[in-house]
């Protein structure tokens, strides 16, 4: 029995080892082929691989593709792209056929170790439950709280972007992104990107404030705005995400053709200009982050040394092609004010370089923020700062003095003295306090030395001299500065300074347009990724606005309908206002009430009701015709006035001149002085009134508006007219335009003493 036991123990051990080895071999069985998964050849370029990856990633993204195997396929696509987009990993796979999932898990492995040929998955022994101290120990220094985010992160996001991870203790998926996250954090932190971690279990309020409703999530914060990361968690993706957070117009590409224009804008922008010379065809992320951090102080440009279009520029400034070179230009565009050159520019070196060159030698005071930085408030005795301020103008007559002031300031070596200037026209309230001759209409340029005493605006100052830029002016200013160093009490005047006007406020519109464009791009990106839960606040706002707009239209329509109903009975009761002009244009805006035009003939029977006793505010539009032209003109007349039949104050009639020609002659005789009609024409020639239209206000009894087909008063015809049917039809072509002018009240009016009597309305035949 003992011998059998001794023999069975080694046998059992051999069986266990065989099972383990078989399991390991089975686990490492089929290797993943990234070329087959992406569907590219082994000779495919990086551009081709990237194009195919983007197409497949959109097709198999779990948020868009709901098929059961979409998530696994998406992971394989992402892993394949990680291998083929990295030259080292791709070469390793091409040589040894090994990927991250199939290569031996040594010290560089992600989740485990191989000991003596065995692979032990550490996650099998390391349960994530309540293991915050073990799994997230490195994240503890980045943990964010709500107050810290609001008071520190948001204000700081206007100087640098933040990358924030949303996680929790019970998040199994969070384990898989930890290695990539730590690698990205290490790189981004050295570049100046802010890092934050929000634990949903402890900071639910902050997570809801950010709009993060699932773990793990990664988001970016810049200028106080939150943007979510939607792609696979890979180092290249996160790096591109941070770069995409930055505004698009931070760095301007500079060549031989535009460098003068770029450097010459220092005066307009009131900023020094920075040029980076490098051989890389793309702007580095570090330089973009620097440009964002100092965007309020400096203007940034980039020169690609590999382009032939920049050869003259490199030669002019004697640029070394073997190391990146950074130049700062201030008031002089021919010679840089400062220069730095190094193969590996670190963030600390660049920040120090930028901080030392934030301002021009003599900057212009354009807003209160710049004034506070150039002329800070005195804190204690040993940190006094004095400002030498030139009050001048932007006209050509001040250019010599301004240049002389700049020349004087460039020789200054005192750290406690800052030089600046201000345009009197743009900062009038401030200049009125410093200038002594307040009664003069136009101040001469003047130099003032001042010291600010508190943040409320109190300052001590002394006017030094009227500044013309002469040698005597420079000498007096130099003597006053030497006296000030020995005796600060020479600043004998004190005043409360007003807040400066923001001279760049007009640029707010342009910045708002750029911000709107960036926000719209973000909204479109969110829609494309079906991130509906995060889009709910915006969608709610849009639908609320549409509902309010729709409700307003409905209420307005109902209100207009009720007003029409109230107006109609009033018109029937004859309570209209006695206004000479019909409705102030309201007639043309109302739709016709009928599908026909009611036109009555003006005869001895209808004369009193349609003209003499017409209600106040009403008007009769009378067409003059003959028996021969009656059918043609009435048809044309009805078409032209149809759109005006919606008015309750207009009536339409016609007068047959063959029956009542004497009445027409008498009417025009009454108005002949106003209409300038020749009396000889009246007596010697027979007039043809066919096609004329009269607008008659019967109530006032003395008002007559007359129009012909040409919108002119009628003139006598010295020959008999025999018109064809086509000519008669065209007589009323412009009647619609004349009616519009009638409703506007712009037609001439002719007054008559009284209407012709009934005896004038007799048949003329």
């Amino acid at each position: 029995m003992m011998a059998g036991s001794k023999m069975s123990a080694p046998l059992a051990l051999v069986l266990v080892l065989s099972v383990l080895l078989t399991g390991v071999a089975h686990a490492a069985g089929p290797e993943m082929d990234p070329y087959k998964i992406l569907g590219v050849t082994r000779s495919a370029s990086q551009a081709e691989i990237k194009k195919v990856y983007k197409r497949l990633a959109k097709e198999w993204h779990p948020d868009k593709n709901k098929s059961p195997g979409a998530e696994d396929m998406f992971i394989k696509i992402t892993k394949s792209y990680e291998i083929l987009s990295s030259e080292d990993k791709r070469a390793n796979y091409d040589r040894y056929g090994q990927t991250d999932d199939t290569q031996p898990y040594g010290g560089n492995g992600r989740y485990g170790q191989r000991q003596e040929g065995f692979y032990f998955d550490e996650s099998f022994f390391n349960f994530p439950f309540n293991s915050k101290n073990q799994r997230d120990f490195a994240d503890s220094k980045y943990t964010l709280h709500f107050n810290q985010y609001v008071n520190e992160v948001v204000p700081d996001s206007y100087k640098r972007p933040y990358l924030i991870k949303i996680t929790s203790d019970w998040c199994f998926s969070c384990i898989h992104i930890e290695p990539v996250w730590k690698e990205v954090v290490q790189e981004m932190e050295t570049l100046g990107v802010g890092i934050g971690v929000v634990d949903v279990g402890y900071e639910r309020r902050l997570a809801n404030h950010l709009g993060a409703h699932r773990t793990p999530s990664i988001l970016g914060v810049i200028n106080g705005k939150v943007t979510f990361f939607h792609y696979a968690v890979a180092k290249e993706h996160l790096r591109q995400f941070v770069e995409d957070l930055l505004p698009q117009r931070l760095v301007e590409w500079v060549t031989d053709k535009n460098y003068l224009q770029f450097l010459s804008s220092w005066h307009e922008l009131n900023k020094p200009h920075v040029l980076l010379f490098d051989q890389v065809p793309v702007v580095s992320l570090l330089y973009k982050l620097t440009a964002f951090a100092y965007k309020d102080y400096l203007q940034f440009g980039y020169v690609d040394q590999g382009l032939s279009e920049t050869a003259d520029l490199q030669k002019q400034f004697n640029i070394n092609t073997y190391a990146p070179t950074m130049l700062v230009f201030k008031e002089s565009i021919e010679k840089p004010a400062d220069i730095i050159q190094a193969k590996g520019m670190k963030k600390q070196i660049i920040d120090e370089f930028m901080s030392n060159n934030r301002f021009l030698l003599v900057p212009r005071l354009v807003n209160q923020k710049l004034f506070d930085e150039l002329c800070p408030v005195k804190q204690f005795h040993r940190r006094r700062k004095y400002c030498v301020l030139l009050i001048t103008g932007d006209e050509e007559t001040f250019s010599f003095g301004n240049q002389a002031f700049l020349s004087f300031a460039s020789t200054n070596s005192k750290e406690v003295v800052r030089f600046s200037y201000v345009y009197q026209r743009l900062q009038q309230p401030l200049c009125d306090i410093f200038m002594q001759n307040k009664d003069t209409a136009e101040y001469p340029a003047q130099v003032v030395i001042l010291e600010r005493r508190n943040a409320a605006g109190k300052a001590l100052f002394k006017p030094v001299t009227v500044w013309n830029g002469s040698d005597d002016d420079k000498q007096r200013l130099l003597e006053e500065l030497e006296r000030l160093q020995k005796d600060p009490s020479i600043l004998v005047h004190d005043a409360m300074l007003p807040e400066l006007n923001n001279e760049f406020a007009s640029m707010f519109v342009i910045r708002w347009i750029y911000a709107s464009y960036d926000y719209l791009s973000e909204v479109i990106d969110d829609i494309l990724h079906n991130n509906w839960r995060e889009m709910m606040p915006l969608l709610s706002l849009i639908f609320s606005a549409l509902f309010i707009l729709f409700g307003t239209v409905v209420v307005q329509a109902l209100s207009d309908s009720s007003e029409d109903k109230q107006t109609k009975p009033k018109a029937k009761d004859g309570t209209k206002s006695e206004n000479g002009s019909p409705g102030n244009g309201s007639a043309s805006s109302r739709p016709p009430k009928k599908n026909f035009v009611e036109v009555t003939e003006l005869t001895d029977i209808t004369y009193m009701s349609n003209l003499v006793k017409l209600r106040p505010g009403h008007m009769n539009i009378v067409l003059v015709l003959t028996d021969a032209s009656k059918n043609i003109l009435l048809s044309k007349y009805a078409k032209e006035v149809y759109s005006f039949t919606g008015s309750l104050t207009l009536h339409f009639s016609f007068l047959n001149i063959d029956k009542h020609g004497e009445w027409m002659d008498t009417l025009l005789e009454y108005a002949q002085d106003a209409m300038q009609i020749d009396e000889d024409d009246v007596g010697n020639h027979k007039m043809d009134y066919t096609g004329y239209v009269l607008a008659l206000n019967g109530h006032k009894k003395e008002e007559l508006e007359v129009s012909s087909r040409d919108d002119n008063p009628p003139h006598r015809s010295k020959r008999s007219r025999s018109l064809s049917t086509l000519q008669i039809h065209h007589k009323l072509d412009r009647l619609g335009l004349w009616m519009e002018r009638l409703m506007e009240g712009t037609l001439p009016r002719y007054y008559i003493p009284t209407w012709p009597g009934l005896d004038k309305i007799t048949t003329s035949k």
Side-chain angles (χ1 to χ4, degrees):
M1 293 293 293
M2 293 183 61
S5 300
K6 291 181 181 180
M7 291 293 295
S8 60
L11 181 60
L13 180 60
V14 171
L15 289 174
V16 171
L17 291 176
S18 300
V19 170
L20 288 176
L21 288 174
T22 304
V24 172
H26 177 73
E31 294 184 355
M32 182 182 70
D33 189 346
Y35 291 104
K36 289 184 179 180
I37 293 175
L38 295 182
V40 296
T41 62
R42 289 183 175 270
S43 59
S45 63
Q46 288 293 334
E48 294 174 343
I49 294 173
K50 186 175 183 180
K51 183 178 180 180
V52 172
Y53 164 71
K54 286 186 175 181
R55 177 176 58 81
L56 293 176
K58 290 181 180 179
E59 179 183 350
W60 292 96
H61 197 285
D63 289 343
K64 290 187 175 182
N65 194 325
K66 302 303 181 182
S67 60
E71 186 172 357
D72 293 337
M73 186 61 184
F74 182 76
I75 293 175
K76 291 181 180 179
I77 293 170
T78 304
K79 288 288 185 181
S80 299
Y81 179 70
E82 288 182 17
I83 296 169
L84 299 184
S85 61
S86 173
E87 296 296 340
D88 294 336
K89 292 181 180 179
R90 184 177 181 180
N92 184 59
Y93 178 79
D94 291 340
R95 292 176 184 174
Y96 309 110
Q98 294 177 341
T99 65
D100 286 345
D101 294 333
T102 59
Q103 68 184 6
Y105 284 79
N108 296 327
R110 292 189 175 183
Y111 302 117
Q113 301 177 6
R114 181 175 290 275
Q115 300 288 346
E116 297 181 0
F118 291 93
Y119 169 67
F120 295 95
D121 191 351
E122 290 180 352
S123 62
F124 181 82
F125 302 101
N126 183 21
F127 294 94
F129 305 107
N130 296 323
S131 59
K132 178 178 178 64
N133 293 333
Q134 298 172 359
R135 179 168 53 84
D136 291 334
F137 179 78
D139 290 341
S140 60
K141 68 174 182 178
Y142 304 117
T143 302
L144 293 179
H145 306 286
F146 182 82
N147 292 334
Q148 181 185 4
Y149 172 80
V150 173
N151 299 325
E152 298 178 13
V153 173
V154 172
D156 195 39
S157 68
Y158 288 86
K159 296 180 181 178
R160 61 172 179 165
Y162 271 78
L163 196 62
I164 298 177
K165 179 184 68 172
I166 311 297
T167 185
S168 67
D169 289 348
W170 297 82
C171 174
F172 297 99
S173 301
C174 299
I175 302 174
H176 300 290
I177 70 170
E178 283 298 319
V180 179
W181 171 257
K182 291 177 181 178
E183 188 177 357
V184 170
V185 166
Q186 185 177 3
E187 178 187 359
M188 293 293 109
E189 200 170 20
T190 58
L191 297 178
V193 178
I195 304 297
V197 176
V198 177
D199 193 316
V200 177
Y202 296 90
E203 282 294 333
R204 173 66 64 180
R205 180 186 178 190
L206 178 54
N208 292 335
H209 178 77
L210 294 172
H213 304 288
R214 59 185 178 185
T215 57
S217 293
I218 296 178
L219 56 89
V221 180
I222 190 169
N223 291 331
K225 183 179 66 176
V226 177
T227 303
F228 278 84
F229 175 76
H230 299 293
Y231 299 96
V233 180
K235 181 179 178 181
E236 294 79 6
H237 295 169
L238 287 170
R239 182 184 178 90
Q240 187 64 44
F241 173 68
V242 173
E243 192 166 347
D244 292 340
L245 289 175
L246 300 171
Q248 300 297 316
R249 292 158 291 274
L250 284 173
V251 180
E252 181 177 346
W253 285 80
V254 180
T255 62
D256 296 337
K257 295 181 179 180
N258 66 342
Y259 86 94
L260 284 177
Q261 179 183 359
F262 174 76
L263 296 179
S264 299
S265 61
W266 68 266
H267 187 269
E268 177 185 358
L269 299 177
N270 197 40
K271 295 178 182 179
H273 284 55
V274 182
L275 274 182
L276 174 63
F277 291 79
D278 202 351
Q279 292 184 331
V280 183
V282 293
V283 182
S284 66
L285 179 57
L286 175 59
Y287 190 57
K288 288 184 178 181
L289 291 169
T290 303
F292 180 74
Y294 293 92
K295 61 183 182 298
D296 294 334
Y297 303 98
L298 299 158
Q299 199 72 12
F300 291 83
Y302 183 77
V303 180
D304 183 2
Q305 294 178 268
L307 299 177
S308 58
E309 294 86 351
T310 63
D312 294 340
L313 195 56
Q314 299 177 52
K315 183 177 180 181
Q316 179 177 350
F317 296 110
N318 194 23
I319 301 300
N320 185 352
T321 59
Y322 299 102
T325 305
M326 198 175 294
L327 307 180
V328 173
F329 294 84
K330 295 187 177 180
E331 283 84 352
S332 174
I333 64 174
E334 297 178 356
K335 183 180 179 181
D338 203 351
I339 182 172
I340 182 175
Q341 188 176 53
K343 276 193 173 183
M345 287 192 183
K346 302 298 182 181
K347 180 181 182 300
Q348 293 77 7
I349 299 176
I350 295 178
D351 284 343
E352 183 179 358
F353 181 73
M354 298 300 171
S355 299
N356 294 336
N357 293 282
R358 288 186 302 164
F359 305 110
L360 298 169
L361 293 176
V362 183
R364 185 172 86 251
L365 298 183
V366 295
N367 52 46
Q368 187 64 34
K369 178 184 176 183
L370 184 60
F371 188 31
D372 293 338
E373 294 193 58
L374 290 174
C375 305
V377 176
K378 173 195 172 185
Q379 295 181 353
F380 47 86
H381 179 72
R382 293 186 179 181
R383 295 191 61 182
R384 280 182 167 173
K385 295 285 185 180
Y386 301 101
C387 279
V388 181
L389 181 64
L390 171 64
I391 302 174
T392 182
D394 54 353
E395 295 83 0
E396 186 65 27
T397 55
F398 294 97
S399 60
F400 178 79
N402 296 345
Q403 189 62 35
F405 188 75
L406 172 61
S407 177
F408 181 87
S410 61
T411 62
N412 172 63
S413 59
K414 300 180 178 64
E415 294 183 359
V416 296
V417 178
R418 286 277 181 84
F419 291 82
S420 60
Y421 70 99
V422 63
Y423 284 152
Q424 170 195 331
R425 177 178 58 87
L426 300 177
Q427 302 292 345
Q428 192 67 51
L430 179 70
C431 297
D432 288 342
I433 293 176
F434 291 141
M435 302 295 282
Q436 292 180 331
N437 50 347
K438 294 185 179 181
D439 296 334
T440 59
E442 185 176 348
Y443 302 153
Q446 186 165 333
V447 174
V448 177
I449 302 177
L450 67 101
E451 179 190 12
R452 299 181 64 193
R453 303 307 296 260
N454 59 39
K458 183 178 180 180
L460 302 178
F461 70 94
K462 178 183 180 181
V464 177
T465 178
V466 174
W467 185 265
N468 296 316
S470 63
D471 293 338
D472 293 339
D473 294 341
K474 295 180 181 179
Q475 184 62 33
R476 281 194 293 270
L477 178 56
L478 183 61
E479 291 174 357
E480 287 295 330
L481 290 176
E482 291 177 352
R483 287 182 56 197
L484 179 66
Q485 191 173 3
K486 299 176 182 178
D487 183 14
S489 63
I490 65 173
L491 304 179
V492 295
H493 302 281
D494 65 277
M496 295 296 293
L497 304 182
E499 185 172 346
L500 269 66
N501 300 324
N502 186 4
E503 298 179 14
F504 290 155
S506 59
M507 298 178 65
F508 171 77
V509 177
I510 299 177
R511 294 176 181 174
W512 182 84
I513 293 175
Y514 288 155
S516 300
Y517 173 79
D518 294 337
Y519 183 73
L520 183 61
S521 301
E522 179 188 351
V523 170
I524 294 174
D525 185 63
D526 286 339
I527 293 176
L528 291 177
H529 288 89
N530 296 328
N531 196 5
W532 299 111
R533 190 167 185 179
E534 296 163 7
M535 289 290 295
M536 282 303 297
L538 178 63
L539 295 175
S540 175
L541 177 63
I542 293 175
F543 282 112
S544 298
L546 292 176
F547 178 78
I548 294 172
L549 181 62
F550 178 75
T552 304
V553 172
V554 172
V555 171
Q556 184 67 30
L558 295 176
S559 176
D560 292 343
S561 177
S562 61
E563 287 180 2
D564 291 342
K565 292 180 180 178
Q566 294 175 2
T567 304
K568 190 172 183 179
K570 288 184 179 180
K572 291 182 179 180
D573 295 339
T575 57
K576 295 284 290 182
S577 174
E578 294 188 12
N579 189 359
S581 93
N584 295 330
S586 63
S588 61
S589 63
R590 291 182 179 178
K593 299 297 181 68
K594 306 174 182 178
N595 57 0
F596 63 91
V597 181
E598 184 178 352
V599 183
T600 59
E601 184 177 2
L602 194 62
T603 65
D604 52 350
I605 299 175
T606 60
Y607 177 73
M608 294 297 294
S609 61
N610 285 7
L611 179 60
V612 178
K613 294 185 178 181
L614 208 60
R615 288 198 298 265
H618 289 235
M619 188 169 289
N620 200 335
I621 312 300
V622 181
L623 168 67
V624 180
L625 48 75
T626 61
D627 288 333
S629 62
K630 180 177 180 180
N631 293 334
I632 299 175
L633 288 180
L634 277 179
S635 177
K636 180 73 172 179
Y637 177 73
K639 292 179 181 179
E640 293 293 329
V641 302
Y642 175 75
S643 60
F644 300 89
T645 57
S647 172
L648 300 176
T649 61
L650 293 181
H651 305 271
F652 303 93
S653 304
F654 69 90
L655 177 71
N656 192 329
I657 201 65
D658 292 337
K659 297 179 181 180
H660 309 290
E662 188 178 356
W663 182 88
M664 187 69 179
D665 289 333
T666 306
L667 182 70
L668 294 179
E669 285 177 4
Y670 286 163
Q672 66 180 358
D673 292 337
M675 300 173 65
Q676 299 179 354
I677 299 176
D678 190 358
E679 290 184 2
D680 294 335
D681 290 340
V682 175
N684 299 330
H685 302 284
K686 181 67 177 178
M687 292 189 62
D688 181 15
Y689 301 113
T690 305
Y692 286 99
V693 180
L694 310 175
L696 306 178
N697 189 331
H699 175 72
K700 291 193 174 181
K701 298 182 181 179
E702 76 280 4
E703 184 178 37
L704 170 67
E705 297 184 23
V706 183
S707 175
S708 70
R709 59 188 177 274
D710 298 322
D711 292 345
N712 295 317
H715 293 281
R716 306 290 180 173
S717 174
K718 296 188 178 183
R719 60 182 176 84
S720 177
R721 297 184 180 178
S722 178
L723 302 177
S724 66
T725 302
L726 183 61
Q727 289 175 313
I728 294 174
H729 184 272
H730 286 296
K731 280 179 174 287
L732 300 179
D733 283 348
R734 302 181 64 188
L735 179 58
L737 177 61
W738 180 82
M739 288 292 296
E740 290 288 349
R741 294 179 57 190
L742 173 66
M743 305 311 297
E744 294 171 359
T746 58
L747 288 176
R749 299 183 180 188
Y750 306 101
Y751 296 87
I752 60 174
T754 184
W755 295 115
L758 291 178
D759 58 322
K760 298 296 182 181
I761 308 181
T762 57
T763 303
S764 60
K765 289 185 178 179

